[in-house]
Amino acid sequence: MHTFWKTSVNLIDTKQRLTTRGWNHYRDDDFRDFRYLSPKIQVDHTHLTDAQLLSKCFHIISSPSRCIDLAKGILKARQTLIGHGKWRSRSSSNKMTEAFDRPIFVWEPVPPSCVPEELSNILAALEFVDVISPNHHELAALYHKEDQTSSLPSELESIELQVNNLLSSGFKNRAGTAVAVRRGERGCYVAWNREQTEDIGYMWYPAYHRPLGETCQDERETFTQKVLDPTGGGNAFLGGFCIGLLGETKIERANFQLGAIYGSVAASFAIEQLGMPSLSQAENGEDLWNEESVMDRIRKFRANLEKL
């Protein structure tokens, strides 16, 4: 499979344990419950090949303390590679050298960490990453208080307030940092600390496959339900998000808007079937996912955003 998808993989044979298995449960309100059915193996920087250690972006799924350990471990291992001459650094004349040589860390906190008792640890871990991405249920659980009343703001207003707190109290308004809240079929909310200014940028993005109730009237006549299985949609979103962060040109970095677009499109392919999307090639050599051009879908999504 990894050869078919042109990706790298490091296979670690551990015959003394069962294959990691998990259980997913989806409620009608889009809430997902998950638990492991077998012992899991925790991967850290020592399991990565040299090529993997030199990646430009890392997606971490962990608790706050483990997130800190992973980020520190990866950075230390990369420095070791530099010391051993296995790193080809960019020219010192390039002003972006320091920024590009440090990888981007995108952190997805595990659900058990998204509780009020862990908020201080969540904020502390943000010093070591560039992006945090909980889903909307996890974000609400992180800031939940028992004395909530009906006078509280709406869900969207709550998300904005909570995200602003993460940007200021956690990232401490550090430029080039962001919060990406995943909202399932309702899309995502991305807010970021701007470069060279003290304000934030933000935008609500719809999902590529919107539910019927959120489509335009002229689209409803031709509406077809393409979502078959939402499992993996969030992971696919963050994979595409990471690619978007690296930009479409060599001088771009931390392009959060492009990350949201790429992430939304990546997720749209992941949820159209059970398992992985099909991969084929067009006559011109372009990769096709589920018989559709990825770039065509990106252009279509961008065009739809301009209409909002």
Side-chain angles (χ1 to χ4, degrees), residues 105-119:
F105 289 109
V106 176
W107 177 36
E108 180 182 347
V110 292
S113 298
C114 297
V115 292
E117 294 78 13
E118 285 288 322
L119 179 57

Side-chain angles (χ1 to χ4, degrees), residues 65-184:
S65 60
R66 183 164 161 73
C67 173
I68 294 173
D69 290 342
L70 288 170
K72 286 182 174 180
I74 290 170
L75 292 176
K76 184 176 180 179
R78 287 164 69 97
Q79 288 299 322
T80 300
L81 290 180
I82 294 173
H84 290 168
K86 296 182 179 181
W87 174 272
R88 186 172 63 182
S89 182
R90 295 171 177 78
S91 169
S92 59
S93 63
N94 187 344
K95 294 182 180 179
M96 297 298 289
T97 297
E98 182 179 353
F100 272 99
D101 283 354
R102 183 190 183 281
I104 296 175
F105 289 109
V106 176
W107 177 36
E108 180 182 347
V110 292
S113 298
C114 297
V115 292
E117 294 78 13
E118 285 288 322
L119 179 57
S120 61
N121 294 327
I122 292 278
L123 296 177
L126 296 187
E127 177 185 348
F128 300 88
V129 301
D130 305 280
V131 179
I132 182 173
S133 181
N135 65 35
H136 58 302
H137 293 299
E138 293 161 350
L139 182 65
L142 180 62
Y143 285 91
H144 175 74
K145 294 182 179 180
E146 293 184 358
D147 60 349
Q148 291 189 84
T149 66
S150 59
S151 63
L152 285 177
S154 68
E155 178 194 359
L156 301 188
E157 292 173 323
S158 294
I159 288 175
E160 292 178 349
L161 290 172
Q162 292 155 359
V163 165
N164 288 347
N165 179 258
L166 291 173
L167 289 172
S168 60
S169 299
F171 286 122
K172 302 190 183 304
N173 298 318
R174 172 163 50 98
T177 55
V179 182
V181 182
R182 293 165 285 116
R183 303 183 64 235

Side-chain angles (χ1 to χ4, degrees), residues 218-270:
D218 58 349
E219 297 177 344
R220 296 185 181 184
E221 295 181 1
T222 59
F223 177 84
T224 57
Q225 178 58 265
K226 296 195 68 173
V227 177
L228 181 61
D229 180 13
T231 303
N235 292 134
F237 173 88
L238 287 176
F241 189 85
C242 289
I243 296 298
L245 287 185
L246 299 176
E248 293 179 335
T249 67
K250 293 182 179 180
I251 60 173
E252 285 184 300
R253 181 184 168 92
N255 190 330
F256 302 113
Q257 293 169 295
L258 188 61
I261 292 172
Y262 276 38
S264 299
V265 171
S268 73
F269 285 107

